Structures are given as structure tokens and as C-alpha cells.
Amino acid sequence: MPRKALKPCKHPGCPNLTDGLYCAEHQFLHPDRPSAAKRGYGSRWQRLSKAYLRRHPLCVRCKAQGRFTAATVVDHIIPHRGDPHLMWDESNWQALCKSCHDHKTWTEDRNPVYRY
């Protein structure tokens, strides 16, 4: 049976060929991330988030700054990190544009503030 063709490693500038995403040299730099569906963002999330965006069409962060930008992402105000209560609680959702969502994720979610 024929094997799948090897493809270039996805690490920037790496010329190595691999049958996965990354070559053996760069695999440890890029740990496997579960699929969106396995992280809870399956068909139910798609349906509910689209309905939420229909009811909340503007980005809340842009709107607070006086700009009216269409929201394209439903964001969890408090990251759910696998907690089903936070995942499905609509009071923990906000409508954001992609730019605001990326900025929030990069700053707040990647550098969490721990309160004791």
C-alpha cells in the first residue's frame, strides 16, 4: 500500500520533511493541541455562538471606545479551561471582533491574574 508523501515541517524556516506537522527536531516545541471539537467547540457551540452573535452583533470592546465594529467571535469573559459551567453560561460570554478577541487572548488569557 502506498504511503502518504512527506511534507515540509511547519516550523518557520525548517527544511526537514515529515509525515506529521513537525519534524522530530521541532516536535517538542509544538505540543499537540486537541481539536476544537475535543475542547468543547463542536456543533452545539457553533449553533449557540451563531445565535448569540445574531442577538449581539457589535463588538463590546470597540463599542466601549465609540467604534461600531461587527462582532465575529463569542468570547468567554472568564476562560472556561474545561469547566462546563463556565463554558455554557451565557453570562460569561461576550461578542468581540477578531482583533479584540486576539488581543484579549494574548494579554489576559495567556497571562492569568491569580487572586488569592
Side-chain angles (χ1 to χ4, degrees):
M1 180 145 103
R3 289 183 26 165
K4 212 164 56 171
L6 297 177
K7 54 189 183 269
C9 173
K10 296 280 186 189
H11 186 80
C14 179
N16 296 331
L17 296 176
T18 180
D19 57 356
L21 292 177
Y22 299 98
C23 65
E25 183 181 344
H26 295 112
Q27 184 66 42
F28 72 96
L29 295 174
H30 305 279
D32 291 334
R33 185 174 185 197
S35 70
K38 287 183 181 171
R39 290 182 287 126
Y41 297 100
S43 60
R44 179 180 176 203
W45 173 257
Q46 297 300 320
R47 183 173 29 85
L48 293 174
S49 64
K50 284 179 186 177
Y52 187 85
L53 289 173
R54 281 192 298 272
R55 292 190 312 273
H56 304 90
L58 298 176
C59 173
V60 295
R61 288 195 170 190
C62 288
K63 192 173 168 184
Q65 297 174 355
R67 297 188 320 255
F68 296 97
T69 309
T72 56
V73 179
V74 176
D75 175 65
H76 290 93
I77 299 166
I78 301 169
H80 64 85
R81 306 213 192 288
D83 180 347
H85 176 71
L86 286 174
M87 172 75 176
W88 301 109
D89 181 12
E90 268 196 53
S91 66
N92 188 37
W93 297 356
Q94 64 182 344
L96 296 177
C97 65
K98 174 109 170 73
S99 175
C100 287
H101 180 262
D102 291 351
H103 184 263
K104 177 198 179 274
T105 301
W106 183 253
T107 57
E108 295 175 15
D109 294 356
R110 296 223 183 246
N111 302 306
V113 176
Y114 296 101
R115 294 182 179 88
Y116 298 97

